[in-house]
């Protein structure tokens, strides 16, 4: 366990000591002038945070970060769930640095490509072969392409209850933010409902012999009903389609071997990313040899041009991932994530009941991936209340778009967070009674999937 316990000493729970975000504020206009949306990931954008918030992070260590103004925070979510061990986690940084000194990218493959492929295949049940890339979107898109080539079919069935699979047209075209994507592409993607096998069967009935694959997360916030995932695989096999599990979030978080191991259903193809590199850019498409081999030439079918990128096997990202996987295996990281999430949930649930907030504020999801739900007086989902809650946490030294923990969230960090949450929920209660506008400073946050300001 990382030694971070003494780091939180500088954190300040006192609301009266208002933080200054002057340096952050000064940089914001320039960021928006130079970068569409002001950030390279919409989920990190200014519109996702209260106005009174750190806009830029200068550095991180463990689960603590410091903003441009020198304010210190405990962070949740950490790199959109990628930094599972902790920021600047020394063994991983050192492994990457050692490799960097040997060269980042060559004209021929590096041995470490084979080493990491072997390590991953050793861990994951459904992995006979592996292809690496730099991000999740590339591997989910590659999985879809491979499924189309393997089955000779065109349509894709995606789980409509899962929020994100790729920035690519086949997925983003199905969201509200579909500008620039031809309807001809969007029309090839169909949606089914999670935990409703009959909705998937209906798609296959409506489009016999046309659906190449089913792509879904194993679990988002709603757990699979008993037998559901097994039934999905059966439906795919009965109808001649491939099952793809997108384990970008669940991989190395629900279970070392993926949520597919936890629920005992091995798909034909799976995609991993985020946690496997502790923040370094690395993702993987893995699957059955019979399908994956279409990306090579040792068969008599047309080759699929499958993930051939300049940076796909950047050596230090592979070294970071090898070290990350080693730590996951040796130090029982996943068990720790579940334990700390459970500890935090217990604290938050206590505060919910002490502040009489049942039905207004909730923590949902598995302990390794907790998210919170904010509702208004009418018990409708409320962005204003979400913003207020985040605002009050930030004032108390906690940045929490979710309660997704890492291996660096020590007991002291969780307990500090619990105190901050308790006070923030006290204000939430008052805002329910007296009106959120009395407590919220600035505009509410807005959804990522929106077309206009
Ligand atoms: C379930 C899921 N799939 C795919 C992706 C895309 O990954 P990336 O952002 O690395 O392209 C994400 C990213 O958040 C995700 O959550």
């Amino acid at each position: 366990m990382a030694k971070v316990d003494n780091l939180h000493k500088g954190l300040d729970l006192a609301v009266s000591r208002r933080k200054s975000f002057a340096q952050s504020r000064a940089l914001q206009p320039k960021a928006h002038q130079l970068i569409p949306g002001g950030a390279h990931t919409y989920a990190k954008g200014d519109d996702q945070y209260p106005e009174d918030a750190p806009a830029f992070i200068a550095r991180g260590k463990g689960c603590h970060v410091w903003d441009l103004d020198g304010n210190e925070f405990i962070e949740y979510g950490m790199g959109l769930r990628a930094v599972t061990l902790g920021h600047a986690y020394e063994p991983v940084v050192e492994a990457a640095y050692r490799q960097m000194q040997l060269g980042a990218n060559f004209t021929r493959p590096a041995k470490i490509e084979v080493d990491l492929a072997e390590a991953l295949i050793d861990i994951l049940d459904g992995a006979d072969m592996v292809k690496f890339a730099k991000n999740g979107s590339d591997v989910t898109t590659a999985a879809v392409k491979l499924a189309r080539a393997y089955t000779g079919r065109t349509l894709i069935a995606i789980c409509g209850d899962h929020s994100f699979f790729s920035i690519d047209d086949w997925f983003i075209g199905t969201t509200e933010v579909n500008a620039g994507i031809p309807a001809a592409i969007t029309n090839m993607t169909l949606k089914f409902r999670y935990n409703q096998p009959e909705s998937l069967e209906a798609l296959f009935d409506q489009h016999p012999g046309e659906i190449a694959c089913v792509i879904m997360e194993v679990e988002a916030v709603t757990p699979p009903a008993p037998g559901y995932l097994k039934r999905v695989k059966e439906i795919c096999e009965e109808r001649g389609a491939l099952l793809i599990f997108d384990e970008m979030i669940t991989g190395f978080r629900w279970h070392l071997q993926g949520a597919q191991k936890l629920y005992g259903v091995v798909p034909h193809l799976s995609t991993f990313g985020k946690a496997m590199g502790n923040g370094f850019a690395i993702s993987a498409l893995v699957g059955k040899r019979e399908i994956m081999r279409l990306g090579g030439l040792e068969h008599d079918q047309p080759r699929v041009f499958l993930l051939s990128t300049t940076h796909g096997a950047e050596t230090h990202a592979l070294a970071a991932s090898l070290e990350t996987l080693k730590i996951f295996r040796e130090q029982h990281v996943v068990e720790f994530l579940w334990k700390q999430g459970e500890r935090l949930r217990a604290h938050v649930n206590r505060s919910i009941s002490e502040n009489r907030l049942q039905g207004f504020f909730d923590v949902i999801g598995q302990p390794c991936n907790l998210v919170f739900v904010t509702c208004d007086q009418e018990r409708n989902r409320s962005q204003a209340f979400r913003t207020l809650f985040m605002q009050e946490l930030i004032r108390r030294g906690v940045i929490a778009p979710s309660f997704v923990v890492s291996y660096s969230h020590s007991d002291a960090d969780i307990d500090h967070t619990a105190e901050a949450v308790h006070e923030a929920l006290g204000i939430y209660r008052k805002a329910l009674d007296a009106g959120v506008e009395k407590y919220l400073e600035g505009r509410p946050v807005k959804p990522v999937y929106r077309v206009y300001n």
Side-chain angles (χ1 to χ4, degrees):
M1 168 54 203
K3 290 277 171 285
V4 293
D5 290 22
N6 56 357
L7 281 174
H8 74 290
K9 281 190 184 137
L11 279 169
D12 184 8
L13 269 182
V15 193
S16 53
R17 300 247 303 261
R18 273 292 182 84
K19 297 176 191 338
S20 161
F21 298 117
Q23 309 260 12
S24 268
R25 291 238 162 92
L27 190 59
Q28 273 171 312
K30 188 172 180 182
H32 284 271
Q33 198 186 7
L34 302 183
I35 304 164
H40 288 93
T41 318
Y42 289 119
K44 294 186 185 180
D46 287 336
D47 58 356
Q48 300 304 300
Y49 285 84
E51 281 186 21
D52 230 6
F56 299 93
I57 303 298
R59 68 189 172 95
K61 186 73 187 163
C63 67
H64 290 235
V65 294
W66 288 261
D67 70 5
L68 284 196
D69 294 274
N71 301 308
E72 180 184 355
F73 300 92
I74 298 171
E75 199 192 39
Y76 287 83
M78 312 220 347
L80 309 174
R81 296 175 171 88
V83 184
T84 318
L85 296 176
H87 295 299
Y89 201 80
E90 267 161 41
V92 178
V93 172
E94 278 161 20
Y97 183 59
R98 276 196 303 275
Q99 185 62 48
M100 234 179 261
Q101 288 174 311
L102 302 176
N105 209 332
F106 310 110
T107 306
R108 302 290 326 270
K111 175 177 174 290
I112 197 167
E113 298 180 36
V114 183
D115 296 342
L116 183 60
E118 195 174 32
L120 213 52
I121 287 167
D122 198 33
I123 292 173
L124 301 170
D125 283 349
D128 299 333
M129 298 182 91
V130 179
K131 269 269 191 179
F132 295 125
K134 299 309 284 174
N135 58 60
S137 293
D138 283 351
V139 287
T140 51
T141 296
V144 166
K145 178 163 66 173
L146 194 53
R148 281 175 161 156
Y150 183 78
T151 59
R153 299 174 176 184
T154 304
L155 303 182
I156 309 160
I158 68 171
C159 181
D161 297 296
H162 294 162
S163 58
F164 195 72
F165 293 108
S166 175
I167 57 164
D168 291 323
D169 294 0
W170 62 269
F171 172 70
I172 284 296
T174 69
T175 72
E176 266 185 73
V177 201
N178 59 5
I181 302 171
I185 293 185
T186 309
N187 292 343
M188 290 186 275
T189 302
L190 315 166
K191 288 188 180 175
F192 63 93
R193 302 301 310 271
Y194 191 71
N195 271 343
Q196 295 179 16
E198 62 285 359
S199 82
L200 183 59
E201 285 185 286
L203 289 185
F204 280 106
D205 288 343
Q206 286 154 21
H207 305 276
E210 288 186 276
I211 298 176
C213 61
V214 168
I215 180 164
M216 62 191 296
E217 292 186 81
V218 180
E219 174 178 11
V221 282
T222 309
Y228 170 65
L229 295 168
K230 187 165 163 278
R231 182 66 198 130
V232 169
K233 186 170 175 192
E234 278 166 11
I235 295 170
C236 288
E237 292 187 337
E238 285 161 16
R239 309 294 186 117
L242 298 187
L243 175 61
I244 304 166
F245 280 161
D246 177 349
E247 293 238 34
M248 220 60 63
I249 290 175
T250 51
F252 308 102
R253 185 172 279 285
W254 262 240
H255 190 286
L256 174 67
Q257 293 163 275
Q260 55 190 266
K261 184 71 177 182
L262 195 65
Y263 292 113
V265 176
V266 181
H268 306 104
L269 297 171
S270 349
T271 56
F272 292 85
K274 298 200 190 256
M276 69 179 278
N278 195 43
F280 282 86
I282 173 89
S283 61
L285 166 65
V286 309
K288 305 271 178 224
R289 180 175 307 281
E290 186 196 344
I291 308 162
M292 291 290 288
R293 72 193 183 117
L294 294 191
L297 284 167
E298 281 151 23
H299 51 82
D300 53 9
Q301 288 154 276
R303 171 162 64 156
V304 178
F305 203 79
L306 186 66
L307 289 169
S308 175
T309 62
T310 302
H311 300 291
E314 181 190 50
T315 58
H316 52 266
L318 303 190
S321 183
L322 260 180
E323 185 63 28
T324 302
L325 298 186
K326 182 167 165 273
I327 295 167
F328 264 82
R329 290 179 101 152
E330 291 177 358
Q331 299 184 30
H332 307 290
V333 173
V334 170
E335 288 84 340
F336 184 84
L337 301 178
W338 283 74
K339 182 166 78 68
Q340 294 308 74
E342 201 47 81
R343 182 181 181 101
L344 182 57
R345 175 151 66 188
H347 279 302
V348 177
N349 280 341
R350 213 169 305 127
S351 294
I352 290 173
S353 69
E354 282 172 22
N355 285 296
R356 295 172 291 108
L357 286 173
Q358 292 92 337
F360 300 104
F361 184 91
D362 201 4
V363 194
I364 58 171
Q366 296 291 3
C368 61
N369 190 59
L370 293 175
V371 293
F372 51 80
V373 179
T374 51
C375 295
D376 61 16
Q377 291 86 342
E378 275 74 52
R379 296 174 192 257
N380 295 321
R381 292 278 176 113
S382 165
Q383 299 282 37
F385 275 93
R386 175 176 171 80
T387 319
L388 174 69
F389 181 63
M390 288 168 76
Q391 167 191 293
E392 295 306 318
L393 287 185
I394 286 168
R395 288 181 181 172
R396 292 162 177 81
V398 177
I399 303 179
S402 67
F403 284 141
V404 176
V405 293
S406 78
Y407 192 47
S408 288
H409 284 82
S410 67
D411 288 353
D413 292 313
I414 299 290
D415 296 349
H416 174 96
T417 305
E419 234 177 294
V421 167
H422 190 70
E423 290 186 13
L425 288 182
I427 292 173
Y428 198 108
R429 176 73 256 169
K430 287 187 195 166
L432 280 176
D433 297 338
V436 67
E437 59 292 341
K438 287 209 168 62
Y439 295 90
L440 177 61
E441 286 180 25
R443 46 93 194 111
V445 298
K446 292 182 182 165
V448 166
Y449 290 145
R450 73 182 198 284
V451 182
Y452 299 107
N453 204 15

